């Protein structure tokens, strides 16, 4: 991943936690066995857990809604912790995918750690299917709209 995330104030924000400490990022990357994409690190610095005002994405007339973004800090067992959700879902989605958010019914928004860019995918837990949503986290975030503008 060679591009950084361009944060847009138009996304709005609800900052839930402080940005992750460098030591936490380093330890999490060590546990993953790979570096986190720079776009995702920039996103965590902007909003480390919580929600954005723009929470809905439309792709081919299908609506995807983000309920909550996971946070990354020393709380490795918290319900909305990146650590805990990676452990909880890695047997379902594989170690290549990092859950970073959930929808209202428990489906997961994923970052493809095996892709060159910060590709965002979606795991439908009922169909047990993973598919690409956007070619980068930047495109994903820029495509979000308010559900009730």
């Amino acid at each position: 991943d060679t591009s950084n995330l361009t944060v847009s104030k138009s996304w709005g924000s609800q900052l839930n936690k402080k940005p992750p400490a460098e030591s936490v990022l380093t330890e999490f990357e060590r546990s993953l066995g790979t570096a986190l994409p720079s776009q995702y690190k920039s996103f965590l610095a902007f909003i480390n857990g919580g929600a954005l005002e723009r929470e809905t994405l439309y792709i081919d007339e299908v609506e995807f809604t983000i309920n909550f973004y996971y946070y990354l800090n020393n709380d490795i067992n918290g319900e909305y912790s990146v650590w805990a959700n990676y452990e909880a879902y890695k047997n379902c989605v594989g170690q290549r995918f990092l859950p970073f958010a959930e929808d209202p019914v428990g489906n997961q928004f994923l970052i493809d750690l095996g892709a060159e860019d910060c590709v965002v995918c979606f795991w439908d837990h009922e169909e047990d299917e993973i598919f690409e949503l956007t070619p980068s986290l930047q495109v994903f975030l820029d495509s979000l709209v308010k559900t009730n503008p």
Side-chain angles (χ1 to χ4, degrees):
D1 176 32
T2 57
S3 59
N4 286 320
L5 187 70
T6 303
V7 173
S8 171
K9 291 185 187 213
S10 68
W11 298 338
S13 72
Q14 174 190 338
L15 188 62
N16 192 37
K17 307 276 184 189
K18 292 179 182 177
E22 192 62 39
S23 61
V24 171
L25 288 168
T26 300
E27 180 60 23
F28 187 65
E29 288 174 327
R30 188 195 62 71
S31 74
L32 287 176
T34 190
L36 291 171
S38 61
Q39 283 188 10
Y40 184 55
K41 288 181 185 180
S42 297
F43 179 70
L44 288 171
F46 175 70
I47 180 169
N48 189 16
L52 297 173
E53 290 174 23
R54 295 182 179 195
E55 72 272 340
T56 304
L57 175 73
Y58 293 94
I59 296 180
D60 298 329
E61 299 181 20
V62 176
E63 181 180 304
F64 299 90
T65 301
I66 292 90
N67 189 44
F68 195 90
Y69 292 96
Y70 300 135
Y71 63 85
L72 182 60
N73 64 17
N74 288 324
D75 179 11
I76 64 173
N77 297 313
E79 180 180 3
Y80 296 109
S81 162
V82 174
W83 296 85
N85 283 282
Y86 178 73
E87 288 300 317
Y89 292 108
K90 72 180 178 184
N91 291 333
C92 301
V93 301
Q95 293 182 344
R96 172 180 174 159
F97 295 100
L98 177 66
F100 74 97
E102 69 175 17
D103 79 358
V105 296
N107 296 311
Q108 299 295 305
F109 293 89
L110 310 167
I111 291 173
D112 184 347
L113 297 172
E116 185 173 321
D117 289 321
C118 193
V119 173
V120 174
C121 298
F122 184 79
W123 177 58
D124 180 326
H125 73 279
E126 291 176 2
E127 300 294 324
D128 194 22
E129 180 183 5
I130 296 173
F131 51 90
E132 182 178 320
L133 287 179
T134 60
S136 71
L137 184 57
Q138 183 77 61
V139 171
F140 176 82
L141 293 166
D142 288 344
S143 300
L144 292 173
V145 295
K146 290 183 181 180
T147 302
N148 298 310

